[in-house]
Amino acid sequence: MKITLNDDKTLAYIESPYNTEFISKIKTIGAARWNPSKKVWQIPAEHIDLARNMMRQVYGECDLPEDIKYVTVELHFDEECRSNSCAPILIFQKEIARARGRDTGAMVGEDVIFTEGKPTSGGSRANYITIIPAGAIATVYNVPETLLDSELPDGVTYKTIQDDKIQDYKSLIIEREKLLARLEEINKILGDDNSNE
């Protein structure tokens, strides 16, 4: 997500993932318009703080660096999950899957991996839907922890899982710091002034 200003700093351009709830909220700002050439929402610059609050409510974050904890969740689809007409399936404000037509199948969202089952499409040509079958399991990365209280579709449960790569990375950083500190001690004992060799 990103917010930029125009040259005379009177307009703010908002880049954000597609989300019908955000669209509904941003339209409550006077003079808010979709700019099709830039593919951004355009609002008066004096309403940036309001737009950021809307982003936090919908996405759990905004364009500013904040102290937000991200988690990885595993979604379990105990029942078939169907989208509204021509819409993606969103969970924790993440696009899990999106059909592009009745017979196209469905594309998996950017931070999503299906480990069991896979999404598909259905419905009619004019009113196609995204379908995730019962028994499917998906791992979703980079979920803002603040969104874990969001309402889930019927028949969908989740559990937070430990991201071993992140944990391994943190462990390696800690181990490196300990080794560098120990190397510095050894160099002092040996009387070696050049501790980088």
Side-chain angles (χ1 to χ4, degrees):
M1 287 184 283
K2 184 177 174 183
I3 296 179
T4 55
L5 295 173
N6 66 344
D7 291 337
D8 63 3
K9 300 189 181 347
T10 58
L11 293 175
Y13 300 120
I14 302 169
E15 294 177 48
S16 65
Y18 177 82
N19 183 291
T20 55
E21 185 182 350
F22 182 71
I23 292 169
S24 177
K25 286 182 179 294
I26 202 72
K27 284 182 176 180
T28 65
I29 295 176
R33 302 284 179 268
W34 173 249
N35 185 323
S37 63
K38 294 183 182 289
K39 296 186 180 178
V40 295
W41 282 98
Q42 167 180 309
I43 63 169
E46 63 262 21
H47 298 304
I48 287 177
D49 289 337
L50 180 59
R52 284 184 173 133
N53 285 336
M54 292 174 178
M55 293 167 99
R56 286 182 192 103
Q57 289 170 5
V58 173
Y59 301 109
E61 60 185 336
C62 70
D63 66 310
L64 297 175
E66 299 178 294
D67 190 21
I68 295 173
K69 183 176 179 189
Y70 294 89
V71 295
T72 301
V73 298
E74 187 175 82
L75 298 174
H76 292 260
F77 295 85
D78 300 324
E79 299 174 16
E80 182 179 82
C81 184
R82 293 172 165 246
S83 71
N84 292 328
S85 177
C86 303
I89 293 176
L90 295 173
I91 300 177
F92 301 127
Q93 301 302 340
K94 292 280 193 178
E95 186 173 293
I96 306 303
R98 173 188 288 272
R100 301 279 185 211
R102 178 189 69 183
D103 302 317
T104 62
M107 294 176 56
V108 176
E110 186 175 317
D111 287 333
V112 180
I113 297 173
F114 276 84
T115 55
E116 296 285 333
K118 67 177 187 175
T120 188
S121 59
S124 67
R125 284 191 181 165
N127 296 302
Y128 58 86
I129 59 172
T130 306
I131 303 168
I132 299 176
I137 299 174
T139 303
V140 185
Y141 297 91
N142 302 316
V143 176
E145 193 174 47
T146 56
L147 293 179
L148 292 180
D149 292 335
S150 302
E151 187 175 336
L152 295 172
D154 290 340
V156 178
T157 58
Y158 81 91
K159 67 178 182 177
T160 304
I161 59 174
Q162 178 63 43
D163 191 335
D164 292 335
K165 289 180 183 175
I166 291 172
Q167 193 59 37
D168 288 346
Y169 179 77
K170 289 177 183 175
S171 298
L172 289 171
I173 295 289
I174 291 168
E175 184 178 353
R176 180 181 67 181
E177 295 303 318
K178 287 180 182 176
L179 289 172
L180 288 172
R182 180 64 181 141
L183 183 59
E184 189 175 326
E185 288 174 11
I186 292 170
N187 285 334
K188 284 181 183 175
I189 292 169
L190 295 174
D192 187 357
D193 290 335
N194 193 355
S195 59
N196 291 330
E197 288 184 5

